[in-house]
Amino acid sequence: MQKISLLSRVKPYLAICIALILAIVLIADTYFINEIPSHLLAAFWFSLVFAILITMIQVAGSEKNIKNFSDQLQVSKERLGNEIKHRLWAEKTASESKIKSQFVDENMPVMLAYFNSDLRCRYHNRIFRRWFGLKPDQIDGRLLKEFSNEEFFSDIQNSIEEILAGKTVHNERVLKSTKGFPYIFTEQYLPHLDSKGKTVGFYTLHTPRAQEKNRDFSKKKLESSTKPEPEKPNKILTKDNTNLPPSTQASKSGITAARITQAIEGGEFNLYCQEIAPIKSSITSVSHYEILIRMHEEENNLMPPGSFLPLVDQFKMMPKLDRWIISHIAQWLSVHPKSNSVFYVNVAKDTLSDRAFPGFIQDQLQKIEAPTSNFCFEVEVSDAEANTADTLIFTQKIRELGCLVSLCSFSGNPESLNLLDKMKVDFLKIDGSLVCNILRDEEDLDKVKTINQLAHKTEIKTIAELVESDDIIVKLQEIGVDYAQGFGVAKPHPFKDLES
């Protein structure tokens, strides 16, 4: 092997070496020796020419090989450059996906978990872990009955045959947290089918009623969620108790109106606020905040924000809770009378029909020296459409007191446009389901532009809801929207930490 390797190394230089030796011999004979026979001298000259030809052929071949190698190197360089670009793009995409996945895991206000066919947990989000008060290693790979309570486990156990048969099961019930507080949940058990149609596992989604899009109460929440799209089920099996009267549902949950009253009066709710930031540089420096509400459990990340509200709404206790909110803001303003902040307070549908509520607001305003324009009362489009008469009376009285009015979740459909013709409002909140799509949906972008133009023609300021990124803010600035609200602008923080 060594001889063959040595020969292969020497072989390319053999012809040129022979040519050099022959040239030296011929030169020496011409100038010094002059004794080489003529026939041998002719053979030397012939060999020299032959060696030179071989050398030239080798040089030409080497140049050709060098050119080929150079071309291949250039192609490899371009390919490597493209691969580096693709890898950087893939790493960036993976990093963004990881951040988004982590954001969803930490902030999606639903209890989400995945179990295999043996009921072993293979995935769980933060809310799911918080509900049971467990760490990830106490849930990973464990059987459901090993870490869950009987109340939670029994419903899944009763439905497991339907789930493993490929059916999607829906249910609605009240579950109690570790501290005994009841929450209304919409449950969904979604089978996971493999390529052969066999059920290999299932997802469990427990969604608080307060997070549903078609909510029946005022929007007192901290965040919205995007539910993952389940695989298409073969059949939907529904079993719920939604048709039961509120009193029956309440008796099953063990919660009473008196308990809710105790929670309100006992300070088991705390206020949070989220900044509504101006987009236009020409807007004055007045600070705007939407008022949000949480229970102590929600503050400790045990439950999604606003998930207790359906029970409050069910017992027609929202006007009482709204009064609690107003009194707390008024108390803060009495301590900070020079505050130039505007506080947006969501008004529940039952509060809109409470004829004594405007009088309560007037009494609170008389106790403080702050301007009445510190208050802006938000009305949901759906609530206003459901009870237009009471809404018009409420907003008229509120404006007579000097307070501001905001119409939120405005989507620009014919019903909401008709409502806007009847109501006098100061701010129009553009529906977040439109705003979050303006970068990828031309139709939603056109709707936002139309709503913004319509509002400005009637001298109404516009606020974009659910603004989640800087790119959306830039686009809203191009459109001419006045304000923006969402996690891309500012996250909610305790109201008590607010500076004057």
Side-chain angles (χ1 to χ4, degrees), residues 9-56:
R9 292 180 182 178
V10 174
K11 187 176 179 180
Y13 308 101
L14 194 58
I16 193 169
C17 289
I18 292 173
L20 287 173
I21 293 172
L22 290 172
I24 292 172
V25 170
L26 291 172
I27 292 171
D29 179 71
T30 302
Y31 294 100
F32 303 104
I33 303 175
N34 292 323
E35 294 181 357
I36 298 177
S38 58
H39 67 279
L40 191 58
L41 190 63
F44 283 172
W45 277 107
F46 177 79
S47 299
L48 177 61
V49 172
F50 185 73
I52 292 173
L53 287 174
I54 292 176
T55 303
M56 292 176 64

Side-chain angles (χ1 to χ4, degrees), residues 249-284:
Q249 295 183 41
S251 63
K252 289 190 175 184
S253 69
I255 193 70
T256 63
R259 176 66 186 91
I260 295 176
T261 302
Q262 179 185 357
I264 297 173
E265 294 178 349
E268 295 179 30
F269 292 96
N270 275 355
L271 294 184
Y272 272 62
C273 62
Q274 186 176 29
E275 183 183 3
I276 301 173
I279 298 178
K280 292 182 176 180
S281 57
S282 58
I283 295 178
T284 58

Side-chain angles (χ1 to χ4, degrees), residues 61-226:
S62 299
E63 289 182 351
K64 183 179 179 181
N65 290 336
I66 291 173
K67 186 177 185 304
N68 290 336
F69 288 144
S70 178
D71 293 341
Q72 291 178 5
L73 181 62
Q74 184 65 29
V75 171
S76 300
K77 182 179 179 181
E78 292 177 358
R79 185 182 301 164
L80 181 61
N82 291 331
E83 289 179 355
I84 291 174
K85 289 180 181 179
H86 285 298
R87 180 168 182 174
L88 292 174
W89 175 83
E91 290 178 350
K92 181 181 178 182
T93 304
S95 177
E96 292 176 350
S97 298
K98 183 178 180 181
I99 293 173
K100 290 178 181 178
S101 177
Q102 184 178 0
F103 178 83
V104 170
D105 182 79
E106 294 181 353
N107 296 283
M108 186 170 64
V110 299
M111 291 168 56
L112 175 62
Y114 177 78
F115 296 87
N116 62 14
S117 56
D118 297 328
L119 294 184
R120 290 190 180 276
C121 188
R122 299 302 182 188
Y123 169 77
H124 42 81
N125 69 346
R126 182 181 61 86
I127 294 296
F128 186 87
R129 296 190 295 271
R130 290 286 187 178
W131 176 261
F132 295 105
L134 300 175
K135 297 179 180 179
D137 57 2
Q138 295 175 303
I139 299 179
D140 291 336
R142 294 182 178 270
L143 293 170
L144 176 61
K145 63 181 179 181
E146 292 179 353
F147 63 83
S148 69
N149 52 38
E150 180 65 25
E151 179 188 32
F152 190 89
F153 173 74
S154 61
D155 191 68
I156 297 179
Q157 185 65 39
N158 294 335
S159 307
I160 192 63
E161 292 184 4
E162 289 86 357
I163 298 171
L164 295 181
K167 299 175 182 178
T168 296
V169 178
H170 293 272
N171 187 22
E172 183 169 303
R173 61 172 171 155
V174 175
L175 291 173
K176 288 186 178 180
S177 67
T178 54
K179 292 188 177 181
F181 290 110
Y183 297 88
I184 298 178
F185 281 98
T186 299
E187 300 175 320
Q188 297 181 68
Y189 304 124
L190 312 171
H192 175 209
L193 308 178
D194 61 12
S195 58
K196 298 180 180 179
K198 181 182 177 181
T199 303
V200 294
F202 61 94
Y203 295 91
T204 65
L205 282 85
H206 288 72
T207 308
R209 280 278 302 277
Q211 300 299 326
E212 292 180 356
K213 188 173 181 180
N214 55 342
R215 51 196 175 275
D216 298 327
F217 48 88
S218 176
K219 186 193 65 165
K220 292 182 174 69
K221 61 180 182 176
L222 284 177
E223 55 205 7
S224 62
S225 66
T226 302

Side-chain angles (χ1 to χ4, degrees), residues 343-402:
F343 299 112
Y344 293 68
V345 181
N346 294 279
V347 184
K349 65 178 187 298
D350 290 336
T351 306
L352 292 172
S353 57
D354 183 355
R355 298 300 172 85
F357 191 71
F360 170 81
I361 296 173
Q362 185 176 13
D363 292 340
Q364 293 295 317
L365 292 174
Q366 289 176 351
K367 296 178 182 179
I368 60 177
E369 300 178 1
T372 55
S373 57
N374 283 130
F375 281 96
C376 180
F377 292 91
E378 282 195 1
V379 180
E380 283 279 343
V381 168
S382 57
D383 293 339
E385 290 174 351
N387 196 347
T388 304
D390 286 338
T391 301
L392 295 178
I393 294 173
F394 174 83
T395 54
Q396 181 181 351
K397 290 183 177 180
I398 288 299
R399 289 178 63 86
E400 289 174 357
L401 294 175

